[in-house]
């Protein structure tokens, strides 16, 4: 047992003992030497005693140079399971582990492949992953581990991570449970010294306890300082950081060793992957004399390091860091040079050591690092590739080459969502003497790295001006990218009309006729109604392009949404999803899911909308995209409002406003108003609903947004009718109607048909109702609202018998959607018409969560649990658990019954 850490030991043992029932993760935090490694060792012993598979990896300082080196160490014992994986996962993980050459487009594919390999391994017996000194693992491995940690709750997989204080990383915001190790109290400190059998005088013992400050490693090491008579600092609490005191103690011990031993230890500290043979060869090279394994014996006798098979193991990570840091720059470079000289069969490692050994600019080494970065990027190790390019930049002789390498590193950092790293790199590129073209690219990179596109007219104008300059220089490609950035910022946050017109003019004078998806999207973003017809003319051909250009498909989907072509937008977003999933491009996938969920609400595909929005929000949080997370949650808020869950609507809107209000994001603010307005309508608060909805149409309001208006026109008319304030919105609708001739936007056309019918005078209403009902045949929810209004109008005209048919149809559709407020209103209107109205029977399908519905739909299509897991980036057992829970909700017992159970949705569509 660990002295003083009995509760912490019990917690770790509970995690191990329960792995057969469910997975769990735990991040163990604390200062160096506090006992994290010892606690992991307890877990290892417990797991092995219970027959579990234990997989280990550890980070070392200096940081590993090659991507996925930590993942390689972790998974190597089970790599024989690779052939059992789906082909794309097998190829991706094989490339990441250096077993095959393959071009990987996104690290998330590798993460999913690693999870699937672990799941397959855990089918035989539970698996415990033990990660030591995680703060020093390569970033690529850390991202994979964070991905896995969020998905093992239903699998027999445990993850224990030791993380040192003072470092930040992906586990900080992964939502994982954490255990902080405190220092030992004096009583426990003295007990530990007694158990160690350390012979100290009372004065020495008291000094050690004070200086150790409850740190177990210090309690082990400081008595050695006293016994050997090494210089001792005055016992002033906090005078020197404990970690530094320990490193000095280890460095002092190392300094007394023979020279050959010291060189061997330094070479080992410089490369954690080196085999015993490589270490001895490099040490021989550095000392100009043959060195054998016996050179390590003095270090083993001092309990600093030992050979463990073919690897050299340091007693503690602080020993490694103490030796490396105490060596000084010249000795460290000599060690790296020696390693570079012997690693002729390992070109990637050799290149990195050559770079570390360089004392000044060396273009040849810089070029080799650039080639290494390309190989790392192909393997999916984007962060390490970026760092290789950054190092190449420091070794570049030419300023233009230095700038180009820094910008290349920025591109890779953007793909990983590392905005801080992007800013550091582009700032360095500017200082490197960027030429005009490179400065324009800096502007573009900074904009791409921005997660929240706030309302900023100056920034929109600056982007447009830079785009114009690029076009004048003949760089039309970068000009299109910059114009799209400017238009996107306008669409999300707005800008002055004059600035918007500048962007629009540039877009329309560029590559619009060629059907460039960026230019089409820019036009749609700037003028969704005024130029909607222009954008729509290109959307169909862009849909065909999306089959082999997924990013173009996403831009086409956004353009279709912007102009109110909701059905086309949903189709485009749906078409790119499978490709994005297959390539592991989760950042772009969450864009398609978030905005696509809004379109699915409009189409009446609420189950799909909920599934897309829920997954989009989850992926946006995981990929650190707050704006897109808010967008997805607003899709959920709108659905909650339509279904009568007012508290959920308000909770989701308020959460989204934490992003949208400070950033003045009109696109999100307007969707928040729509969700609140719809919720208030259903809750009988019609005046409040009208207030929320009118904000979307007021140019002076921060919720004014033309694209969102296309979703809110009908609801605005509903609120006006129910409050008797038709005149207050007729002017707004008249202005929109005048614009309807300029576009074939279904959102505008259908919204106007619906609004004109329900707000018409009695002598004009009936033909308008008939026209709207005919046009809305493929838009079930809006058609049901028109049927409800038409039935009420007929009853008001004393055509009681005629009113019942549309009212019954409306009630049936509302019930099928689970739109409880609308169902109740239709039931009341039917009762007022004298119809016999029974209670509304809740549908079994409404009991499913969004993720359960998504899994049920895929299972009904014939996908296996593994295929569903691969599609949704979940673990297979998570899929199995959801199916186990949803079968009773649907009152079915087998997968073969799913299709029928899901098709009873009442609106003529099958999920």
């Amino acid at each position: 047992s660990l002295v003083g850490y009995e509760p912490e030991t019990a917690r770790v043992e509970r995690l191990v003992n329960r792995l057969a029932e469910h997975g769990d993760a735990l991040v163990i935090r604390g200062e160096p030497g506090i006992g994290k490694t010892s606690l992991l060792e307890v877990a290892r012993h417990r797991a092995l005693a219970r027959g579990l598979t234990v997989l280990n990896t550890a980070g070392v300082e200096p940081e590993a140079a090659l991507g996925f080196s930590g993942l390689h160490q972790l998974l190597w014992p089970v790599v024989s399971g690779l052939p059992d994986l789906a082909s794309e996962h097998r190829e991706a993980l094989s490339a990441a582990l250096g077993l095959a050459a393959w071009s990987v487009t996104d690290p998330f594919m590798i993460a999913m492949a690693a999870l699937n390999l672990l799941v397959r391994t855990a089918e035989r017996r539970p698996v415990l992953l033990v990660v030591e000194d995680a703060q020093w693992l390569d970033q690529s491995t850390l991202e994979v581990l964070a991905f896995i940690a969020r998905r093992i709750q239903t699998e027999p997989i445990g993850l224990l991570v030791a993380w040192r204080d003072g470092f930040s990383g992906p586990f900080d915001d992964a939502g994982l449970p954490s255990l902080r190790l405190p220092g030992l109290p004096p009583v426990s400190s003295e007990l530990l010294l007694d158990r160690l059998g350390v012979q100290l005088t009372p004065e020495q013992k008291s000094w050690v306890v004070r200086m150790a400050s409850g740190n177990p490693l210090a309690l082990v090491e400081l008595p050695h300082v006293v016994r050997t008579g090494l210089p001792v600092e005055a016992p002033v609490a906090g005078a020197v950081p404990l970690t530094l005191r320990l490193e000095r103690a280890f460095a002092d011990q190392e300094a007394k060793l023979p020279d050959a031993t010291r060189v061997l230890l330094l070479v080992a500290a410089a490369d954690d992957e080196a085999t015993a043979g490589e270490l001895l060869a490099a040490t021989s090279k550095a000392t100009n004399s043959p060195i054998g394994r016996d050179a390590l014996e003095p270090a083993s006798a001092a309990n600093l390091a030992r050979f463990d098979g073919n690897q050299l193991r340091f007693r503690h990570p602080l020993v490694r860091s103490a030796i490396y840091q105490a060596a000084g720059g010249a000795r460290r470079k000599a060690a790296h040079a020696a390693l570079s000289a012997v690693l002729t069969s390992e070109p990637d490692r050799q290149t990195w050591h050559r770079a570390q050994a360089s004392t000044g600019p060396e273009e040849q080494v810089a070029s080799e690092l650039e080639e290494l970065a390309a190989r790392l990027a192909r393997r999916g190790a984007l962060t390490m590739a970026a760092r290789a390019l950054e190092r190449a930049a420091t070794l570049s002789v030419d300023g233009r080459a230095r700038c180009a390498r820094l910008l290349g590193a920025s591109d890779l950092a953007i793909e990983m969502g590392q905005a801080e790293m992007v800013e550091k790199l582009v700032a360095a590129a500017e200082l490197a003497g960027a030429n005009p073209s490179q400065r324009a690219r800096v502007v573009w990179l900074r904009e791409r790295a921005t997660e929240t596109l706030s309302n900023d007219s100056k920034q929109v104008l600056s982007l447009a001006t830079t785009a114009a300059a690029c076009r004048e220089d003949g760089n039309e490609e970068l000009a299109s990218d910059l114009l799209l950035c400017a238009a996107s910022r306008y669409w999300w946050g707005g800008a002055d009309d004059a600035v918007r017109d500048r962007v629009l003019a540039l877009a329309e004078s560029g590559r619009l006729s060629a059907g460039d998806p960026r230019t089409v999207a820019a036009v749609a973003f700037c003028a969704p109604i005024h130029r909607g017809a222009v954008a729509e003319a290109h959307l169909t051909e862009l849909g065909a392009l999306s089959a082999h250009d997924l990013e173009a498909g996403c831009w086409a989907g956004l353009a279709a949404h912007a102009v109110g072509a909701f059905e086309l937008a949903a189709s485009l977003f749906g078409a790119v999803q499978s490709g994005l999933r297959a390539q592991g491009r989760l950042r772009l996938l969450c864009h398609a899911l978030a905005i696509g969920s809004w379109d699915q609400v409009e189409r009446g595909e609420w189950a799909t909308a909920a599934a897309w929005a829920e997954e989009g929000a989850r992926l946006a949080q995981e990929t650190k995209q707050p704006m897109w997370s808010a967008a997805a949650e607003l899709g959920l808020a709108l659905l909650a409002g339509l279904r009568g869950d007012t508290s959920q609507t308000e909770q989701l809107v308020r959460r989204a406003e934490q992003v949208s209000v400070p950033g003045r994001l009109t696109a999100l603010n307007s969707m928040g108003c729509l969700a609140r307005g719809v919720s208030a309508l259903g809750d009988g608060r019609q005046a409040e609903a009208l207030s929320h909805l009118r904000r979307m149409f007021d140019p002076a309001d921060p919720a004014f947004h033309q694209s969102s208006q296309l979703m809110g026109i009908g609801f605005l008319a509903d609120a006006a009718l129910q409050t008797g304030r038709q005149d207050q919105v007729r002017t707004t609708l008249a202005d929109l109607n005048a614009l309807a001739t300029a576009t074939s936007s279904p959102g505008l056309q259908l919204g106007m048909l619906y609004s004109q019918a329900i707000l018409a005078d009695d002598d004009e209403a009936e033909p308008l109702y008939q026209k709207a009902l005919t046009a809305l045949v493929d838009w079930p929810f809006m058609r049901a609202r028109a049927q409800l209004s038409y039935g009420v109008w007929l009853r008001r005209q004393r055509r009681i018998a005629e009113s019942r048919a549309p009212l019954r149809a409306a009630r049936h559709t509302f019930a099928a959607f689970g739109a409880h407020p609308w169902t109740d209103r239709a039931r009341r209107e039917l009762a007022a018409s004298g119809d016999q109205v029974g209670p509304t029977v809740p549908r079994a399908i409404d009991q499913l969560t969004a993720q359960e519905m998504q899994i049920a739909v895929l299972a009904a299509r014939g996908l296996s649990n593994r295929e569903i897991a691969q599609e949704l980036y979940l673990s297979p057992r998570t899929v199995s658990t959801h199916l186990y829970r949803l079968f009773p909700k649907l009152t079915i017992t087998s997968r073969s019954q799913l299709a029928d159970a899901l098709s009873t949705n009442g609106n003529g569509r099958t999920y």
Side-chain angles (χ1 to χ4, degrees):
S1 63
L2 299 182
V3 174
Y5 288 143
E6 289 79 9
E8 291 80 5
T9 301
R11 182 170 179 183
V12 168
E13 288 183 335
R14 281 197 303 272
L15 183 149
V16 174
N17 293 341
R18 295 175 181 174
L19 283 184
E21 304 166 16
H22 63 80
D24 204 355
L26 182 65
V27 181
I28 303 170
R29 301 179 182 273
E31 64 182 15
I34 200 64
K36 302 185 296 296
T37 298
S38 297
L39 200 56
L40 292 182
E41 194 62 26
V42 168
R44 282 193 193 94
H45 282 292
R46 183 68 174 176
L48 291 171
R50 293 180 65 84
L52 276 62
T53 298
V54 179
L55 302 176
N56 305 277
T57 192
V60 295
E61 190 183 32
E63 182 180 322
L66 305 183
F68 298 114
S69 57
L71 188 66
H72 187 283
Q73 183 184 15
L74 182 74
L75 298 182
W76 191 251
V78 296
V79 77
S80 60
L82 278 173
D84 297 331
L85 301 183
S87 59
E88 59 268 34
H89 285 171
R90 180 176 63 252
E91 291 168 344
L93 190 53
S94 295
L97 300 181
L99 302 176
W102 193 61
S103 180
V104 179
T105 56
D106 201 290
F108 289 107
M109 172 71 78
I110 296 166
M112 192 65 208
L115 174 62
N116 281 340
L117 178 61
L118 292 171
V119 167
R120 288 294 183 100
T121 304
E123 289 174 350
R124 294 184 289 274
R125 51 182 178 170
V127 173
L128 178 66
L129 309 176
V130 179
V131 183
E132 206 167 336
D133 280 303
Q135 74 283 346
W136 285 332
L137 282 173
D138 61 279
Q139 187 68 26
S140 304
T141 294
L142 284 175
E143 295 292 346
V144 170
L145 289 173
F147 180 95
I148 290 171
R150 287 184 281 257
R151 289 167 171 81
I152 59 175
Q153 286 69 30
T154 59
E155 301 291 340
I157 300 172
L159 173 63
L160 290 174
V161 177
W163 191 271
R164 180 181 290 192
D165 286 346
F167 292 83
S168 59
F171 294 111
D172 294 343
D173 53 5
L176 303 178
S178 182
L179 174 64
R180 177 166 297 283
L181 294 185
L184 296 175
V187 172
S188 296
S189 297
E190 293 182 4
L191 177 60
L192 177 58
L193 288 173
D194 293 339
R195 289 196 179 181
L196 291 170
V198 178
Q199 300 300 316
L200 297 173
T201 67
E203 293 78 9
Q204 289 174 329
K205 186 175 184 179
S206 176
W207 181 88
V208 168
V209 169
R210 289 200 310 274
M211 292 297 289
S213 303
N215 184 289
L217 181 63
L219 289 166
V220 173
E221 292 301 325
L222 291 180
H224 175 76
V225 174
V226 175
R227 291 197 310 272
T228 56
L230 293 174
V232 180
E233 300 171 27
V236 179
V240 178
L242 179 61
T243 301
L244 183 56
R245 291 202 295 270
L246 287 170
E247 286 188 334
R248 285 181 181 176
F250 288 130
D252 287 340
Q253 293 178 60
E254 184 263 351
K256 293 182 174 294
L257 298 175
D259 289 344
T261 305
R262 296 183 66 201
V263 174
L264 176 58
L265 291 176
L266 177 57
V267 170
D271 189 335
D272 66 298
E273 296 183 30
T275 64
E278 290 169 342
L279 292 176
L280 295 175
T283 305
S284 299
K285 182 76 174 176
T287 59
N288 291 315
S289 61
I291 300 295
R293 292 174 75 103
D294 58 343
L296 190 65
E297 289 179 2
S300 299
N303 198 21
L304 292 176
R306 61 184 173 82
F307 277 120
D308 180 7
N310 201 34
Q311 298 293 132
L312 187 149
R313 307 291 185 195
F314 287 96
R315 180 190 158 199
H316 191 277
L318 281 180
V319 177
R320 179 189 290 272
S321 61
I323 291 170
Y324 192 78
Q325 296 302 328
R331 289 187 63 221
R332 288 199 295 267
K333 289 183 181 300
H336 286 292
L339 283 162
S340 174
V342 301
L343 292 174
T344 54
S345 62
E346 296 277 352
D348 288 357
R349 289 168 59 205
Q350 183 182 45
T351 296
W352 190 261
H353 284 297
R354 283 191 67 190
Q356 296 299 93
S358 297
T359 57
E362 291 187 47
E363 186 58 34
Q364 178 61 36
V365 179
S367 297
E368 291 175 7
L369 276 172
E370 193 168 11
E371 293 171 3
L372 171 60
R375 292 194 295 272
L376 289 170
R378 284 195 296 271
R379 289 174 52 198
L382 301 187
T383 302
M384 300 312 299
R387 289 179 177 166
L389 281 174
E390 184 179 13
R391 177 63 176 153
T394 66
L395 298 177
S396 301
V397 176
D398 178 68
R400 183 176 298 181
R402 183 182 306 116
C403 185
R405 286 161 177 157
L406 288 167
L407 295 180
S410 303
D411 267 323
L412 295 170
I414 285 173
E415 290 299 315
M416 292 300 295
Q418 296 184 19
E420 291 182 3
M421 185 178 184
V422 173
E423 180 53 38
K424 182 185 78 168
L425 291 167
V426 297
E430 288 178 313
L431 293 175
N435 61 30
S437 176
Q438 289 172 328
R439 286 197 296 273
R441 193 169 167 216
V442 165
V443 172
W444 178 59
L445 288 166
R446 278 199 169 109
E447 189 68 11
R448 285 180 63 204
T450 302
E451 292 296 346
T452 301
L453 303 177
S454 60
N455 183 324
D456 188 341
S457 292
K458 289 183 179 179
Q459 180 63 11
V460 175
L461 181 59
S462 174
L463 289 165
T465 302
T466 307
C470 286
R471 182 173 290 169
E472 289 176 5
D473 291 340
N475 193 344
E476 186 69 39
E477 195 70 21
L478 184 54
S480 295
D481 286 330
L482 287 162
L483 278 175
L484 180 56
C485 287
S488 296
R489 186 176 281 272
Y490 170 77
W491 191 83
W492 284 101
D496 295 342
D497 288 347
V499 173
R500 183 272 319 276
D501 292 344
R502 166 75 166 153
V503 177
L504 181 61
L506 284 168
E508 291 187 321
S509 65
R511 303 166 70 167
L512 186 61
S513 60
D516 183 340
R518 295 164 297 178
T519 308
V520 174
V523 170
F525 290 163
C526 288
I529 297 178
H530 294 78
R531 297 290 193 277
V534 176
E536 286 179 79
H538 297 279
L539 289 177
T540 302
E541 60 187 276
L542 290 182
L545 177 66
S546 67
H548 55 85
D549 187 341
L550 299 176
E551 193 162 353
C554 282
W555 288 122
L558 288 166
H561 171 83
V563 302
F566 302 123
E567 185 134 17
L568 177 58
S571 175
L572 289 166
F573 284 134
V576 299
Q577 284 186 33
S578 60
L580 293 172
R581 292 180 193 281
Q583 295 180 11
R585 301 174 69 179
L586 300 194
R587 291 176 62 81
L588 198 56
L589 175 60
C590 79
H591 301 181
L593 290 167
I595 303 302
S597 72
W598 300 1
D599 299 305
Q600 295 289 20
V601 172
E602 285 295 298
R603 295 180 65 228
E605 298 287 359
W606 288 9
T608 302
W612 285 16
E614 189 278 337
E615 186 183 10
R618 175 168 53 84
L619 293 180
Q621 290 162 9
E622 193 164 331
T623 54
K624 301 179 181 64
Q625 299 183 90
M627 185 176 74
W628 292 98
S629 176
E633 289 189 328
L634 285 170
L636 293 172
L638 179 57
L639 283 168
L642 289 165
R643 287 174 166 152
D645 191 343
T646 57
S647 61
Q648 178 74 352
T649 298
E650 186 60 26
Q651 179 183 342
L652 288 165
V653 172
R654 286 189 177 184
R655 197 153 63 202
E657 285 179 338
Q658 294 175 10
V659 175
S660 68
V661 172
R664 296 174 295 162
L665 297 173
T666 59
L668 298 183
N669 287 334
S670 62
M671 285 300 295
C673 286
L674 178 59
R676 280 185 169 131
V678 167
S679 178
L681 267 178
D683 201 38
R685 296 174 281 120
Q686 286 84 359
E688 182 182 334
L690 182 61
S691 176
H692 286 306
L693 294 165
R694 287 185 67 184
R695 292 185 58 197
M696 302 168 63
F697 297 84
D698 181 0
D701 195 284
F704 174 78
H705 197 269
Q706 287 193 324
S707 293
S708 299
Q709 289 173 15
L710 303 178
M711 300 177 68
I713 294 170
F715 291 111
L716 178 68
D718 286 330
L721 178 64
Q722 293 178 38
T723 56
R725 300 176 185 174
Q726 295 92 322
D727 290 342
Q728 292 186 14
V729 301
R730 278 185 174 133
T731 301
T732 298
L733 295 177
D735 291 341
L736 288 172
N737 191 48
L739 294 172
T741 57
T743 179
S744 59
S745 162
L748 181 56
Q749 302 292 342
L750 297 176
M752 290 307 304
L753 285 174
Y754 175 85
S755 301
Q756 288 166 352
I758 72 169
L759 296 180
D761 293 332
D762 287 344
D763 58 346
E764 300 175 345
E766 186 146 23
L768 292 175
Y769 272 118
Q770 295 298 338
K771 184 178 180 181
L773 289 169
T774 300
L776 292 169
V777 68
D778 292 324
W779 301 80
F781 186 70
M782 190 183 295
R783 190 170 195 270
R785 286 160 52 206
Q787 288 170 327
L788 172 60
S789 181
Y790 182 42
V792 172
W793 180 84
L794 287 170
R795 186 169 60 79
R796 233 180 31 237
Q797 303 303 310
R798 302 188 183 281
R799 296 160 61 180
I800 307 299
E802 292 178 68
S803 73
R804 292 171 186 154
L807 289 174
R808 287 175 189 145
R811 177 175 178 267
H812 178 70
T813 302
F814 291 146
F817 274 105
H820 306 302
W822 301 86
T823 306
D824 291 343
R825 186 177 168 215
R827 182 177 52 79
R828 291 193 301 270
E829 295 294 346
L830 270 172
S833 73
D835 199 11
Q836 295 296 321
V837 182
T840 300
V841 180
R843 296 184 311 159
I845 201 172
D846 292 333
Q847 300 179 54
L848 302 186
T849 66
Q851 193 165 79
E852 286 173 346
M853 173 62 79
Q854 196 172 22
I855 289 170
V857 169
L858 293 175
R861 293 176 185 166
L863 274 68
S864 68
N865 286 7
R866 290 196 182 282
E867 290 169 332
I868 296 170
Q870 182 175 333
E871 182 83 2
L872 301 182
Y873 281 78
L874 301 171
S875 75
R877 190 176 285 200
T878 296
V879 173
S880 177
T881 299
H882 279 303
L883 286 170
Y884 176 80
R885 291 172 180 168
L886 69 86
F887 275 23
K889 293 181 181 180
L890 296 178
T891 63
I892 61 175
T893 57
S894 70
R895 297 170 87 102
S896 62
Q897 298 171 292
L898 273 171
D900 288 339
L902 296 177
S903 67
T904 56
N905 57 7
N907 62 6
R909 302 188 184 202
T910 300
Y911 291 119

